[in-house]
Amino acid sequence: MPEWRRTRRLLGTLLLAASCASAHAADPGLESGLLHALHLKKGTTDRVGTSGKAIAAYMREGYIGKRPDQRFDYTDYYLLKKPASFMGHELVLIEEEYITQYIGCCVSPGAGVTVKVRGNTQNLQAFASAQRCTLTDPVDVQHALSEVAIKARLPQGHYASLSCRERDAQP
């Protein structure tokens, strides 16, 4: 077989392997939907996307359960069941704050994420600043989970939380 044909066949095999590998990785559309839900509408305290739609997409793909791991006050907490990425970090928790029934006070609609940091948090800091979100870095993830009665053990590491709720966008 001529060398050019062998090279062409090898390239085809590599492309097929790469496309199969990316099919097993987290769908980049999931992350972009979540990012969209956290983006601020210019000149408002509203977010561009809908956190409920972004979370539903993670549910459909089996990254989180059909029901939240915990509902505390006005917030649903979803622990990730399989690896997913968020801005280059390991996504471990998605939270959504909303009101369906008034139970007291102080609802602030929006969403947040907690990540296990890979490298540094400069990209999260820049996003938080640009989108008027609140970044807590580092965060004691075990303490934060126990405060909302979630009994889960996450591996030791550097964690950060990004909150993009209505109150975070207030001037």
Side-chain angles (χ1 to χ4, degrees):
M1 176 180 306
E3 188 64 32
W4 66 269
R5 190 169 272 167
R6 196 170 300 143
T7 302
R8 189 171 161 191
R9 184 173 285 175
L10 177 61
L11 284 174
T13 303
L14 289 173
L15 286 172
L16 179 62
S19 67
C20 288
S22 67
H24 295 298
D27 180 354
L30 292 175
E31 182 178 355
S32 66
L34 187 53
L35 281 165
H36 191 67
L38 303 178
H39 271 266
L40 194 62
K41 282 184 188 173
K42 200 168 186 103
T44 73
T45 58
D46 296 330
R47 299 292 163 182
V48 174
T50 306
S51 53
K53 287 181 183 176
I55 290 169
Y58 278 88
M59 280 179 193
R60 269 192 312 276
E61 298 301 319
Y63 286 90
I64 59 176
K66 300 279 185 206
R67 310 187 107 234
D69 292 278
Q70 182 60 279
R71 172 106 169 126
F72 191 83
D73 289 338
Y74 292 110
T75 306
D76 287 346
Y77 296 88
Y78 298 90
L79 285 166
L80 274 281
K81 295 175 178 247
K82 58 186 185 178
S85 176
F86 182 82
M87 297 181 71
H89 305 283
E90 181 186 338
L91 183 61
V92 295
L93 178 78
I94 302 172
E95 52 190 78
E96 180 185 31
E97 188 170 340
Y98 63 95
I99 186 169
T100 54
Q101 178 183 13
Y102 184 73
I103 59 172
C105 133
C106 313
V107 68
S108 183
V113 297
T114 299
V115 298
K116 185 171 184 187
V117 176
R118 293 185 190 141
N120 63 53
T121 58
Q122 287 178 335
N123 60 347
L124 293 171
Q125 291 167 9
F127 183 88
S129 177
Q131 302 305 322
R132 295 193 359 226
C133 298
T134 300
L135 178 65
T136 305
D137 177 28
V139 67
D140 180 345
V141 72
Q142 288 305 145
H143 179 72
L145 292 174
S146 69
E147 280 190 327
V148 294
I150 295 177
K151 294 178 177 132
R153 298 293 305 158
L154 295 178
Q156 292 252 342
H158 176 187
Y159 291 87
S161 290
L162 183 67
S163 173
C164 298
R165 293 169 168 78
E166 194 174 273
R167 85 173 72 83
D168 299 306
Q170 301 288 328

